[in-house]
Amino acid sequence: MSELPNTMQAALLTHDGFAQEATGLAIDDAADWLEDAEIPVPQPDAGQVLIRMRASSVNPSDLHFIKGEYGQPRIKGSPAGFEGCGDVVATGAGAEHLAGQRVAFVAAGSGAWAEYALTPAMMCIPLRPDISDFDGAAQIVNPLTAMAMVDIAKQAGDAFIISAATSQLGKLMCALGRDLGLSPIALVRRADAVEFLKEIGAAEVLVTGEADFADRLTDVIKTLKPRVFLDAVADQQCETVFTAMPNGARWIIYGKLSTEPPALTQTGQFIFMSKQIEGFWLSKWMSSTPPEDQMRVVGEVQARFADGRWSTDVAATIPLRDLVGTLAETLKTTKGKIMIVSE
Ligand SMILES: NC(=O)c1ccc[n+]([C@@H]2O[C@H](COP(=O)([O-])OP(=O)(O)OC[C@H]3O[C@@H](n4cnc5c(N)ncnc54)[C@H](OP(=O)(O)O)[C@@H]3O)[C@@H](O)[C@H]2O)c1
């Protein structure tokens, strides 16, 4: 393998631990949470690989994390960034089988918003040549979550509701749901997304801010009888959606895009209608799903990206060197996934 530099550029966390309060995805200035720095290139320990980055995603989980409101504590001075795609350029003992491979990975050693990232070999997926670098950099977090959650919905009936359906994950779930013969019911806040979501797989698309939303929701629930609500927003309107659903409905909260948590208005439904509220976190799914089942899902994910049934809608790219200075503005002006690139 080629000689490695001693130092690398990285966007480092400037805070430790967790924040006192959660303020959601909004970022006025990324310099409140990150700083540009030149740091030593990390060395892989046993079982780890060092990856030269091609592209890394900006996911909502990254934004929650840098602000201290995600499910694991920050470590000040370490590079941010959970997910990316790159080439394995050094390996620790036991990880030699990945040497030289282009991989999709989740960083669990040193973050992906850097020129080089470190992670255990078991967090890497070697990529087929027909997968693009951008699809590779968004190959794990959202696609595996989509596969796992639509599988939950499929067990419960023929229709399911998705909030924030314009998100990358929402789009993956609409397409997958349709391909499995299910009826995804998409909730969006932008009317301009309705036709597009129907084209990619939504059976119904309801715009949450429109005056007839409640009436249309009632009609759609009566007709399609969805029993699972896959919810990334979790606000008061979502509670209204859940209370309108039939007996046995499950409200599965997997994101917290709203900063205003809901109040429960119909507690009797838990007693008399067997309704449930629960959470979904991919990290838990990965630690509780047998490796052979995960590999089957990973294979299906790559096949879907390779043949075009799924794709990553990249709305903007940011060179790593400009990340801290331009991230906040790019988030404000962009609808779709942002990718960080080295050049
Ligand atoms: N639990 C897990 O394991 C897991 C795994 C993966 C992802 N997630 C969650 O899944 C969600 C989507 O992730 P992604 O990467 O697909 O997102 P993304 O492509 O970056 O899109 C973000 C979406 O959020 C919508 N949004 C933001 N604030 C909102 C609000 N207050 N109300 C309604 N919609 C709002 C935006 O809608 P507009 O188009 O209207 O602007 C946009 O569609 C996030 O909450 C993320 O944390 C959870």
Side-chain angles (χ1 to χ4, degrees), residues 236 239-240 242-244 263-273 275:
Q236 199 58 47
E239 198 264 355
T240 306
F242 175 60
T243 57
L264 297 177
T265 60
Q266 307 272 343
T267 45
Q269 293 194 350
F270 301 105
I271 306 166
F272 307 117
M273 294 175 71
K275 290 194 174 187

PDB file of all heavy atoms in Angstrom, residues 236 239-240 242-244 263-273 275:
ATOM      1  N   GLN A 236     -46.872  17.131  18.019  1.00  0.00           N
ATOM      2  CA  GLN A 236     -48.268  16.949  18.435  1.00  0.00           C
ATOM      3  C   GLN A 236     -49.149  16.446  17.293  1.00  0.00           C
ATOM      4  O   GLN A 236     -50.057  15.651  17.499  1.00  0.00           O
ATOM      5  CB  GLN A 236     -48.825  18.271  18.991  1.00  0.00           C
ATOM      6  CG  GLN A 236     -50.069  18.086  19.845  1.00  0.00           C
ATOM      7  CD  GLN A 236     -49.812  17.153  21.045  1.00  0.00           C
ATOM      8  OE1 GLN A 236     -48.816  17.302  21.741  1.00  0.00           O
ATOM      9  NE2 GLN A 236     -50.696  16.192  21.259  1.00  0.00           N
ATOM     10  N   GLU A 239     -48.985  12.803  17.114  1.00  0.00           N
ATOM     11  CA  GLU A 239     -49.825  12.148  18.121  1.00  0.00           C
ATOM     12  C   GLU A 239     -51.263  12.067  17.625  1.00  0.00           C
ATOM     13  O   GLU A 239     -51.961  11.062  17.822  1.00  0.00           O
ATOM     14  CB  GLU A 239     -49.737  12.928  19.437  1.00  0.00           C
ATOM     15  CG  GLU A 239     -50.189  12.134  20.654  1.00  0.00           C
ATOM     16  CD  GLU A 239     -51.639  12.383  21.065  1.00  0.00           C
ATOM     17  OE1 GLU A 239     -52.301  13.245  20.462  1.00  0.00           O
ATOM     18  OE2 GLU A 239     -52.112  11.707  21.984  1.00  0.00           O
ATOM     19  N   THR A 240     -51.706  13.108  16.913  1.00  0.00           N
ATOM     20  CA  THR A 240     -53.059  13.099  16.341  1.00  0.00           C
ATOM     21  C   THR A 240     -53.191  11.993  15.294  1.00  0.00           C
ATOM     22  O   THR A 240     -54.212  11.301  15.229  1.00  0.00           O
ATOM     23  CB  THR A 240     -53.358  14.471  15.679  1.00  0.00           C
ATOM     24  OG1 THR A 240     -53.113  15.483  16.638  1.00  0.00           O
ATOM     25  CG2 THR A 240     -54.778  14.555  15.196  1.00  0.00           C
ATOM     26  N   PHE A 242     -51.491   9.208  15.223  1.00  0.00           N
ATOM     27  CA  PHE A 242     -51.493   7.930  15.944  1.00  0.00           C
ATOM     28  C   PHE A 242     -52.863   7.648  16.571  1.00  0.00           C
ATOM     29  O   PHE A 242     -53.368   6.526  16.494  1.00  0.00           O
ATOM     30  CB  PHE A 242     -50.402   7.970  17.020  1.00  0.00           C
ATOM     31  CG  PHE A 242     -50.366   6.777  17.928  1.00  0.00           C
ATOM     32  CD1 PHE A 242     -50.149   5.506  17.427  1.00  0.00           C
ATOM     33  CD2 PHE A 242     -50.545   6.928  19.300  1.00  0.00           C
ATOM     34  CE1 PHE A 242     -50.110   4.400  18.273  1.00  0.00           C
ATOM     35  CE2 PHE A 242     -50.506   5.831  20.152  1.00  0.00           C
ATOM     36  CZ  PHE A 242     -50.292   4.558  19.633  1.00  0.00           C
ATOM     37  N   THR A 243     -53.464   8.675  17.161  1.00  0.00           N
ATOM     38  CA  THR A 243     -54.763   8.443  17.813  1.00  0.00           C
ATOM     39  C   THR A 243     -55.857   8.153  16.792  1.00  0.00           C
ATOM     40  O   THR A 243     -56.880   7.550  17.131  1.00  0.00           O
ATOM     41  CB  THR A 243     -55.188   9.628  18.703  1.00  0.00           C
ATOM     42  OG1 THR A 243     -55.216  10.817  17.912  1.00  0.00           O
ATOM     43  CG2 THR A 243     -54.245   9.820  19.874  1.00  0.00           C
ATOM     44  N   ALA A 244     -55.646   8.546  15.530  1.00  0.00           N
ATOM     45  CA  ALA A 244     -56.658   8.270  14.491  1.00  0.00           C
ATOM     46  C   ALA A 244     -56.509   6.861  13.915  1.00  0.00           C
ATOM     47  O   ALA A 244     -57.373   6.395  13.167  1.00  0.00           O
ATOM     48  CB  ALA A 244     -56.521   9.299  13.363  1.00  0.00           C
ATOM     49  N   ALA A 263     -47.707  15.780  23.583  1.00  0.00           N
ATOM     50  CA  ALA A 263     -48.388  15.320  24.805  1.00  0.00           C
ATOM     51  C   ALA A 263     -49.368  14.225  24.408  1.00  0.00           C
ATOM     52  O   ALA A 263     -49.921  14.244  23.303  1.00  0.00           O
ATOM     53  CB  ALA A 263     -49.128  16.488  25.446  1.00  0.00           C
ATOM     54  N   LEU A 264     -49.598  13.275  25.318  1.00  0.00           N
ATOM     55  CA  LEU A 264     -50.557  12.192  25.031  1.00  0.00           C
ATOM     56  C   LEU A 264     -51.963  12.669  25.372  1.00  0.00           C
ATOM     57  O   LEU A 264     -52.198  13.174  26.472  1.00  0.00           O
ATOM     58  CB  LEU A 264     -50.207  10.954  25.849  1.00  0.00           C
ATOM     59  CG  LEU A 264     -48.850  10.331  25.536  1.00  0.00           C
ATOM     60  CD1 LEU A 264     -48.585   9.148  26.465  1.00  0.00           C
ATOM     61  CD2 LEU A 264     -48.781   9.893  24.081  1.00  0.00           C
ATOM     62  N   THR A 265     -52.887  12.506  24.429  1.00  0.00           N
ATOM     63  CA  THR A 265     -54.256  12.998  24.659  1.00  0.00           C
ATOM     64  C   THR A 265     -55.276  11.881  24.817  1.00  0.00           C
ATOM     65  O   THR A 265     -56.406  12.133  25.213  1.00  0.00           O
ATOM     66  CB  THR A 265     -54.709  13.886  23.482  1.00  0.00           C
ATOM     67  OG1 THR A 265     -54.662  13.096  22.277  1.00  0.00           O
ATOM     68  CG2 THR A 265     -53.804  15.104  23.324  1.00  0.00           C
ATOM     69  N   GLN A 266     -54.895  10.635  24.462  1.00  0.00           N
ATOM     70  CA  GLN A 266     -55.881   9.535  24.451  1.00  0.00           C
ATOM     71  C   GLN A 266     -55.291   8.308  25.147  1.00  0.00           C
ATOM     72  O   GLN A 266     -55.142   7.251  24.528  1.00  0.00           O
ATOM     73  CB  GLN A 266     -56.223   9.162  23.005  1.00  0.00           C
ATOM     74  CG  GLN A 266     -56.668  10.290  22.132  1.00  0.00           C
ATOM     75  CD  GLN A 266     -58.161  10.513  22.215  1.00  0.00           C
ATOM     76  OE1 GLN A 266     -58.907   9.643  22.675  1.00  0.00           O
ATOM     77  NE2 GLN A 266     -58.614  11.670  21.803  1.00  0.00           N
ATOM     78  N   THR A 267     -54.973   8.447  26.432  1.00  0.00           N
ATOM     79  CA  THR A 267     -54.284   7.337  27.105  1.00  0.00           C
ATOM     80  C   THR A 267     -55.150   6.070  27.180  1.00  0.00           C
ATOM     81  O   THR A 267     -54.626   4.966  27.272  1.00  0.00           O
ATOM     82  CB  THR A 267     -53.830   7.755  28.518  1.00  0.00           C
ATOM     83  OG1 THR A 267     -54.903   8.436  29.154  1.00  0.00           O
ATOM     84  CG2 THR A 267     -52.615   8.655  28.451  1.00  0.00           C
ATOM     85  N   GLY A 268     -56.457   6.237  27.092  1.00  0.00           N
ATOM     86  CA  GLY A 268     -57.351   5.072  27.099  1.00  0.00           C
ATOM     87  C   GLY A 268     -57.070   4.133  25.930  1.00  0.00           C
ATOM     88  O   GLY A 268     -57.341   2.927  26.009  1.00  0.00           O
ATOM     89  N   GLN A 269     -56.521   4.666  24.838  1.00  0.00           N
ATOM     90  CA  GLN A 269     -56.250   3.813  23.674  1.00  0.00           C
ATOM     91  C   GLN A 269     -55.195   2.737  23.982  1.00  0.00           C
ATOM     92  O   GLN A 269     -55.191   1.686  23.348  1.00  0.00           O
ATOM     93  CB  GLN A 269     -55.769   4.663  22.495  1.00  0.00           C
ATOM     94  CG  GLN A 269     -56.845   5.594  21.947  1.00  0.00           C
ATOM     95  CD  GLN A 269     -56.461   6.170  20.589  1.00  0.00           C
ATOM     96  OE1 GLN A 269     -55.330   6.031  20.130  1.00  0.00           O
ATOM     97  NE2 GLN A 269     -57.416   6.828  19.955  1.00  0.00           N
ATOM     98  N   PHE A 270     -54.316   3.026  24.955  1.00  0.00           N
ATOM     99  CA  PHE A 270     -53.311   2.009  25.319  1.00  0.00           C
ATOM    100  C   PHE A 270     -53.982   0.859  26.068  1.00  0.00           C
ATOM    101  O   PHE A 270     -53.551  -0.286  26.005  1.00  0.00           O
ATOM    102  CB  PHE A 270     -52.206   2.626  26.180  1.00  0.00           C
ATOM    103  CG  PHE A 270     -51.505   3.753  25.479  1.00  0.00           C
ATOM    104  CD1 PHE A 270     -51.755   5.068  25.825  1.00  0.00           C
ATOM    105  CD2 PHE A 270     -50.638   3.498  24.437  1.00  0.00           C
ATOM    106  CE1 PHE A 270     -51.134   6.103  25.161  1.00  0.00           C
ATOM    107  CE2 PHE A 270     -50.014   4.528  23.756  1.00  0.00           C
ATOM    108  CZ  PHE A 270     -50.271   5.841  24.120  1.00  0.00           C
ATOM    109  N   ILE A 271     -55.058   1.192  26.795  1.00  0.00           N
ATOM    110  CA  ILE A 271     -55.744   0.178  27.594  1.00  0.00           C
ATOM    111  C   ILE A 271     -56.755  -0.586  26.731  1.00  0.00           C
ATOM    112  O   ILE A 271     -56.749  -1.812  26.696  1.00  0.00           O
ATOM    113  CB  ILE A 271     -56.501   0.850  28.760  1.00  0.00           C
ATOM    114  CG1 ILE A 271     -55.554   1.740  29.570  1.00  0.00           C
ATOM    115  CG2 ILE A 271     -57.165  -0.204  29.650  1.00  0.00           C
ATOM    116  CD1 ILE A 271     -56.266   2.693  30.526  1.00  0.00           C
ATOM    117  N   PHE A 272     -57.592   0.161  26.014  1.00  0.00           N
ATOM    118  CA  PHE A 272     -58.743  -0.469  25.358  1.00  0.00           C
ATOM    119  C   PHE A 272     -58.510  -0.819  23.894  1.00  0.00           C
ATOM    120  O   PHE A 272     -59.281  -1.574  23.310  1.00  0.00           O
ATOM    121  CB  PHE A 272     -59.963   0.452  25.473  1.00  0.00           C
ATOM    122  CG  PHE A 272     -60.241   0.866  26.894  1.00  0.00           C
ATOM    123  CD1 PHE A 272     -60.175   2.197  27.285  1.00  0.00           C
ATOM    124  CD2 PHE A 272     -60.538  -0.091  27.867  1.00  0.00           C
ATOM    125  CE1 PHE A 272     -60.409   2.570  28.593  1.00  0.00           C
ATOM    126  CE2 PHE A 272     -60.775   0.284  29.181  1.00  0.00           C
ATOM    127  CZ  PHE A 272     -60.699   1.614  29.556  1.00  0.00           C
ATOM    128  N   MET A 273     -57.461  -0.248  23.280  1.00  0.00           N
ATOM    129  CA  MET A 273     -57.237  -0.518  21.845  1.00  0.00           C
ATOM    130  C   MET A 273     -55.872  -1.163  21.580  1.00  0.00           C
ATOM    131  O   MET A 273     -55.465  -1.293  20.430  1.00  0.00           O
ATOM    132  CB  MET A 273     -57.347   0.790  21.039  1.00  0.00           C
ATOM    133  CG  MET A 273     -58.755   1.380  21.067  1.00  0.00           C
ATOM    134  SD  MET A 273     -58.826   2.992  20.236  1.00  0.00           S
ATOM    135  CE  MET A 273     -58.627   2.534  18.509  1.00  0.00           C
ATOM    136  N   LYS A 275     -52.928  -0.178  21.768  1.00  0.00           N
ATOM    137  CA  LYS A 275     -51.949   0.597  20.993  1.00  0.00           C
ATOM    138  C   LYS A 275     -50.613   0.668  21.747  1.00  0.00           C
ATOM    139  O   LYS A 275     -50.579   0.538  22.965  1.00  0.00           O
ATOM    140  CB  LYS A 275     -52.492   2.000  20.729  1.00  0.00           C
ATOM    141  CG  LYS A 275     -53.665   2.009  19.752  1.00  0.00           C
ATOM    142  CD  LYS A 275     -53.923   3.412  19.265  1.00  0.00           C
ATOM    143  CE  LYS A 275     -54.979   3.459  18.202  1.00  0.00           C
ATOM    144  NZ  LYS A 275     -55.105   4.807  17.610  1.00  0.00           N
TER     145      LYS A 275
END
